[in-house]
Amino acid sequence: MSRNAALVVLIAVGAVFQLSCGTQVSVVKDDKLCLFANLTLRFSVSYEVTGNKSQTVAFELPEKVTSEGSTCDSEKSTLKINFGDGHSFSVNFSASSGSYQADLISFSYNLNDSTVFNNSVSEETATVTFALPVTQVALDTCYSCNSRETIQGESVNMTFWNVLIQAFITNGSKSEDVTSCPADEPTAAPPTPTPAGNGTTAAPPTNATTVAPTPAGNGTTAAPPTNTTSVAPPTTPTPPLPTPKTGNYSVKAPNQTEACLLAKFGLRIGYKQGDKFEEMNFEPTGAQMSGSCGVNSSELMLESGPVTLVFTFINDTKKFRLHTLNVTVKTSSGSVLSEGNASLSLWEAALGSSYMCNKEQNFTISEEFHLSTFEVQVQPFGVKKGLFSTAHECSLDDTSILVPIIVGAALAGLILIVVIAYVIGRRKTYVGYQTL
Ligand SMILES: *[C@@H]1O[C@H](CO)[C@@H](O)[C@H](O)[C@H]1NC(C)=O
Ligand SMILES: *[C@@H]1O[C@H](CO)[C@@H](O)[C@H](O)[C@H]1NC(C)=O
Ligand SMILES: *[C@@H]1O[C@H](CO)[C@@H](O)[C@H](O)[C@H]1NC(C)=O
Ligand SMILES: *[C@@H]1O[C@H](CO)[C@@H](O)[C@H](O)[C@H]1NC(C)=O
Ligand SMILES: *[C@@H]1O[C@H](CO)[C@@H](O)[C@H](O)[C@H]1NC(C)=O
Ligand SMILES: *[C@@H]1O[C@H](CO)[C@@H](O)[C@H](O)[C@H]1NC(C)=O
Ligand SMILES: *[C@@H]1O[C@H](CO)[C@@H](O)[C@H](O)[C@H]1NC(C)=O
Ligand SMILES: *[C@@H]1O[C@H](CO)[C@@H](O)[C@H](O)[C@H]1NC(C)=O
Ligand SMILES: *[C@@H]1O[C@H](CO)[C@@H](O)[C@H](O)[C@H]1NC(C)=O
Ligand SMILES: *[C@@H]1O[C@H](CO)[C@@H](O)[C@H](O)[C@H]1NC(C)=O
Ligand SMILES: *[C@@H]1O[C@H](CO)[C@@H](O)[C@H](O)[C@H]1NC(C)=O
Ligand SMILES: *[C@@H]1O[C@H](CO)[C@@H](O)[C@H](O)[C@H]1NC(C)=O
């Protein structure tokens, strides 16, 4: 078995310059080049240091690396780049029907390497794995990407640039043809690595296309068996959320059998977490509802999972509207965010009717909270027989006004065309008549 295993040879590259000239790796099987990579890769790793704090260190993949552990096969190949004191970076490729792709990227770092991870509490080797967005590369071409691409995880960010990789090399030499990454194509941005920093380490990379990582199915591969507190798995991905489910809610007055407040909507909440917004859909299934109906104000309180919402509607003699909204969210990090806005004028309709809006609406509740609503219908006052009264539709849905406007505009246009045609026709005949 081991005799048949890929024979891996490293071609060392003269390490003359310290600054980012990229890292070159060639993997050879049966004396033939089968995998080639030339890339610049910068890691940013945060780790726990003494005193309950975390520290972030940034470093580049050095030029001096080994490729032990790399394998070439007809359908699966692995590029493994080992460097420094027990660190390694690897990419798994798979080939099928005329193309290949990088499936997984993983990075193992030895926290016991004090030259890099100074004062680390953990001495383990941690591994983070990222599944990559699918980029099909035609077989017998190199994947080329000069633009910077960043993969972000909770404790590790990786930025790549000047990437040239070919897996599944068939004839023993690197192809001259390339499949370029989308980021390189449209504007053909000049590939300037610009190591602008003073001194030894290169400057932090500038921004680029951000590749949202999806954590690999089975997570860490070579992760240490013991529990380390400093190493967290890659952040959960943020794929676009599905449209939230529409919930039906009602409030009954004490001793009443029929509802006095009706509400129906799908809801998404966006809240600020650190410097970015996180979104979650409000789950209507199992939501607890309560509230009250008054003459001048009615209230609906909903609680589901980590979210509590209080809607306060007011009656200002002819109309009702949503006046106050309070939101409380227990975030994934355990903190509790609570905000309210008591000067809203939303979902306004005449008393005795209901307000309805099927389109998505976005509201800013506060700097920390955004709200998107879907398929809204509410009636906080004057509900009869537990049913919504005639709906006042939001302007977004209102085609009843739009239709006459369009028809009117079309008619006006038609009349104008007829008049112009008439005038031109008249002038033509007149002019023609005169020349005769
Ligand atoms: C590797 O990439 C560096 C930086 O883009 C470039 O200067 C060098 O010529 C490349 N080497 C090969 C063999 O393509
Ligand atoms: C990764 O990048 C994000 C966004 O720039 C930043 O908030 C985070 O601190 C970075 N993490 C590390 C470990 O550098
Ligand atoms: C420090 O660690 C203790 C226990 O390990 C924890 O309860 C506390 O929240 C930590 N403090 C900070 C600031 O992270
Ligand atoms: C990558 O492929 C190698 C060889 O097929 C395998 O041993 C390894 O577990 C794979 N890595 C990941 C992260 O799946
Ligand atoms: C970087 O270099 C510039 C000019 O060469 C200098 O003004 C600046 O103070 C330096 N910054 C650091 C952090 O050394
Ligand atoms: C890079 O980010 C800065 C601020 O974060 C922004 O002003 C700039 O437009 C960005 N550049 C590109 C090319 O996205
Ligand atoms: C993940 O692990 C489970 C059991 O541990 C296994 O059944 C499953 O096939 C694995 N999935 C992948 C993508 O490797
Ligand atoms: C390690 O993690 C497992 C599961 O998360 C837990 O059951 C176990 O108690 C942990 N061990 C230590 C030493 O924290
Ligand atoms: C509601 O019912 C309770 C007991 O059944 C009764 O004491 C109370 O007066 C009723 N309230 C109203 C407003 O009818
Ligand atoms: C709204 O308020 C007015 C005046 O305060 C009151 O007369 C009317 O009954 C109220 N309407 C409803 C539906 O409660
Ligand atoms: C709702 O938010 C408003 C505005 O911040 C605040 O005045 C009010 O007390 C809050 N109400 C509740 C029930 O939290
Ligand atoms: C609401 O926000 C989402 C995401 O920010 C956006 O896709 C959508 O177009 C917005 N809708 C409206 C009506 O502004």
Side-chain angles (χ1 to χ4, degrees), residues 60 89 92 128 156 158 248 284 287 313 351:
E60 270 179 29
F89 165 77
N92 278 12
V128 289
V156 174
M158 292 189 258
N248 283 299
F313 297 89
L351 280 167

Side-chain angles (χ1 to χ4, degrees), residues 149-412:
E149 291 193 274
T150 301
I151 297 182
Q152 284 183 11
E154 203 164 282
S155 47
V156 174
N157 289 355
M158 292 189 258
T159 304
F160 302 81
W161 68 99
N162 289 348
V163 174
L164 188 71
I165 287 181
Q166 189 181 358
F168 307 104
I169 299 174
T170 46
N171 57 4
S173 64
K174 185 165 71 74
S175 173
E176 294 303 316
D177 301 328
V178 297
T179 298
S180 294
C181 63
D184 276 3
E185 271 164 2
T187 47
T192 40
T194 47
N198 305 8
T200 49
T201 45
T206 55
N207 43 349
T209 353
T210 300
V211 183
T214 29
N218 281 350
T220 53
T221 21
T226 50
N227 302 358
T228 70
T229 42
S230 63
V231 179
T235 40
T236 40
T238 47
L241 287 174
T243 306
K245 278 190 243 167
T246 306
N248 283 299
Y249 312 103
S250 60
V251 173
K252 280 180 195 147
N255 296 2
Q256 298 294 306
T257 51
E258 276 169 2
C260 59
L261 182 156
L262 291 174
K264 183 186 94 156
F265 45 69
L267 214 93
R268 177 177 300 154
I269 293 146
Y271 57 92
K272 209 166 182 186
Q273 181 77 303
D275 27 341
K276 58 177 198 272
F277 263 90
E278 293 199 359
E279 290 195 314
M280 66 165 81
N281 286 343
F282 185 81
E283 177 56 57
T285 316
Q288 288 185 12
M289 55 194 169
S290 58
S292 61
C293 296
V295 173
N296 295 319
S297 113
S298 291
E299 204 175 83
L300 170 67
M301 185 171 124
L302 297 174
E303 188 176 348
S304 177
V307 184
T308 306
L309 296 159
V310 183
F311 297 83
T312 309
F313 297 89
I314 60 162
N315 157 14
D316 65 3
T317 65
K318 289 199 177 81
K319 289 182 164 182
F320 68 82
R321 61 193 153 92
L322 175 61
H323 180 256
T324 308
L325 179 59
N326 298 54
V327 190
T328 305
V329 174
K330 293 191 194 80
T331 67
S332 45
S333 61
S335 55
V336 176
L337 292 174
S338 192
E339 281 283 338
N341 187 331
S343 53
L344 301 171
S345 271
L346 306 173
W347 298 349
E348 194 172 271
L351 280 167
S353 69
S354 64
Y355 171 88
M356 184 165 155
C357 198
N358 286 320
K359 298 274 168 66
E360 176 181 355
Q361 290 175 297
N362 292 343
F363 305 118
T364 303
I365 302 305
S366 72
E367 225 164 84
E368 275 75 37
F369 277 109
H370 291 181
L371 198 71
S372 302
T373 57
F374 303 78
E375 305 202 341
V376 174
Q377 188 166 14
V378 290
Q379 186 168 353
F381 299 99
V383 175
K384 300 217 169 65
K385 295 180 188 154
L387 298 169
F388 281 115
S389 309
T390 331
H392 169 89
E393 288 202 40
C394 60
S395 52
L396 291 169
D397 289 344
D398 211 340
T399 47
S400 53
I401 288 175
L402 218 56
V403 168
I405 290 175
I406 291 168
V407 170
L411 271 178

Side-chain angles (χ1 to χ4, degrees), residues 5 14 19 36 57 59 91 93 101 116 129 140 156 192-193 280 286 288 311 345 385 401-402:
L19 277 172
F36 170 86
V57 65
F59 53 94
V91 187
F93 297 94
Q101 64 185 66
V116 178
T129 305
D140 295 318
V156 174
T192 40
M280 66 165 81
Q288 288 185 12
F311 297 83
S345 271
K385 295 180 188 154
I401 288 175
L402 218 56

